[in-house]
Amino acid sequence: MLSFVYNGLPARVIFGSGTIADLPSEVDRLGLSRVLVLSAPAQEADARGICDRLGKLSAGLYPHATMHTPVSRTDDALAVVRDRNIDGFVAIGGGSTTGLSKALAYRTDLPQIIIPTTYAGSEMTPILGETHEGQKHTKSSTRILPEVVIYDVDLTMTLPASVSGTSGMNAMAHAVEAMYAKDRNPVISLIATDAVKTLALALPRVIDNPLDKDARADALYGAWLSGICLGSVGMALHHKLCHVLGGLFDLPHADTHAVILPHVLAYNAPAVPDAIERLKDALRTTDPAAALFDLADRLGAKTSLAEIAGSMSLDDLEQAAQVASQNQYWNPRTIEIESIRSLLQNAWTGNLRTQNGS
C-alpha cells in the first residue's frame, strides 16, 4: 500500500504576460509602504524601473546581490534595512537576488515579493543556501518562503540563450531529484515529471529562437513546477555536490548544476528504477542520464567541470569528495568517498559513463 505525507506550501503565484503591472497592488495587499528593491549589479537598470513603478512605496534600491549568498553581503544589506526602516522586499533577477531576499527575510521575518527573470526555481522554496568561510550551508524556515512570486514571461525575453540553457538545467535538477526523494509523494512525482518534460521540450526552442514567447512561457512554467518540487521534498547527492563545489571554489551555480546532473543520475540510477522509468517517458529516451548530458550540450551549456573551474584544479577533486562525503545525508545509493571521487573525475573530464563506484 502506498503511504506518504504531503505538505502544500502557502505561496501566492501570479503567472502570465505583463503581470509586473500587478506589483504595486501586491505591495499594497501586504500592507507595505517602505520596500527595499533588491537586484544583482547586472539587473540594476531593471530594479530602478521597479522603484519607479512603485513610486512612494519604494524606500530605495540595493543592487549588490552576489552568487552563493555570502553572509558578509547579507550583513551589509541588513544594515541598509535597519537604517531605512524597511518593511518588506521586492527582488528582481535570478537565484542570487532571490537568495539575498530570503536571507534578509530569515533574519527579519519581513515579507518578500520575488520577480524571477531566470529559471532558477528557488523563489518557490522555504530553503536558503548561504556561504561563509568557504562553506555553503542551508537553512529551512517558513520565514524564508516568499509571500508572493510574480512570473512575467516578458521579463525573460532578453535572457541570453546561454544563460537560459544553464538556468533551465538548474531547474530541471530540482525535478529530477524530487522523483527519488526520500519524502517523495504522488503529487510531487506528477509535478516533477511534467516539469522535466516541459523543460526538455521548451529549452531547445528557446535556444533556437530566443524571441519565441510561447517557448519562453513554457520554460518559465517548467521552472515554476521545478521550484515547487525543490520546496516540497528533500534533495540528495546532486544538490549536496553543487553546494560543496560552489562553496569551496565559487563555481557558477547554474553551470555547475548542468555539469553535475547527468553524472549523479547515472550514479543513482541502479537504486531508483521507478524514477528512471518516469524520466524515460519524460525525456523520450532509454538512457535518461545520457539524454540529460546531450540536452545540456544541445543548449550550449558546458559539460565538464574543467570548463567552468576557474581557480579550481584537478587536485581539488579529492577535497571536494571528502567534504561531500562528510556529515552523511540521505541518498538512494550509499555515499562513499571513492565513489564520489570517481563521479567527480568523470564530471571533470565530461566523460559520462555508468557510475559503478570503481
Side-chain angles (χ1 to χ4, degrees), residues 95-238:
S96 297
T97 306
T98 298
L100 175 60
S101 181
K102 292 163 77 170
L104 292 171
Y106 178 71
R107 289 160 172 79
T108 64
D109 202 19
L110 294 176
Q112 311 170 71
I113 299 175
I114 309 296
I115 308 168
T117 60
T118 70
Y119 308 129
S122 58
E123 64 278 355
M124 291 303 302
T125 78
I127 303 164
L128 166 65
E130 53 186 2
T131 50
H132 181 62
E133 296 181 348
Q135 295 287 323
K136 193 163 188 176
H137 305 278
T138 59
K139 297 178 174 68
S140 181
S141 169
T142 54
R143 290 183 296 178
I144 295 170
L145 182 68
E147 280 70 15
V148 179
V149 179
I150 299 176
Y151 290 101
D152 189 335
V153 66
D154 298 349
L155 300 179
T156 69
M157 297 302 297
T158 58
L159 187 67
S162 58
V163 179
S164 299
T166 55
S167 181
M169 291 298 296
N170 180 14
M172 195 175 292
H174 311 327
V176 169
E177 283 223 305
M179 289 185 183
Y180 55 72
K182 184 179 182 180
D183 53 349
R184 64 191 180 278
N185 60 73
V187 172
I188 295 304
S189 293
L190 286 170
I191 292 173
T193 303
D194 196 27
V196 171
K197 184 179 297 184
T198 300
L199 285 166
L201 292 173
L203 291 171
R205 293 161 55 209
V206 169
I207 298 303
D208 291 343
N209 181 7
L211 297 180
D212 183 339
K213 194 169 183 177
D214 289 337
R216 290 283 189 182
D218 288 347
L220 194 59
Y221 172 74
W224 169 57
L225 296 179
S226 298
I228 294 175
C229 295
L230 178 64
S232 301
V233 295
M235 296 287 109
L237 177 61
H238 170 81

Side-chain angles (χ1 to χ4, degrees), residues 278-349:
R278 283 185 174 275
L279 285 167
K280 285 180 179 179
D281 177 65
L283 295 169
R284 302 176 182 178
T285 183
T286 58
D287 187 343
L292 289 173
F293 185 90
D294 292 342
L295 177 62
D297 185 56
R298 166 76 169 84
L299 300 178
K302 301 295 190 293
T303 55
S304 72
L305 282 177
E307 295 175 276
I308 63 171
S311 61
M312 181 185 179
S313 71
L314 181 62
D315 293 338
D316 291 324
L317 296 184
E318 187 65 35
Q319 181 188 6
Q322 289 177 356
V323 174
S325 303
Q326 294 170 355
N327 302 318
Q328 286 290 313
Y329 46 92
W330 187 87
N331 188 68
R333 181 177 171 184
T334 302
I335 295 172
E336 299 174 348
I337 188 169
E338 289 305 317
S339 299
I340 301 308
R341 177 65 175 77
S342 177
L343 185 160
L344 289 172
Q345 176 67 43
N346 289 334
W348 179 267
T349 59

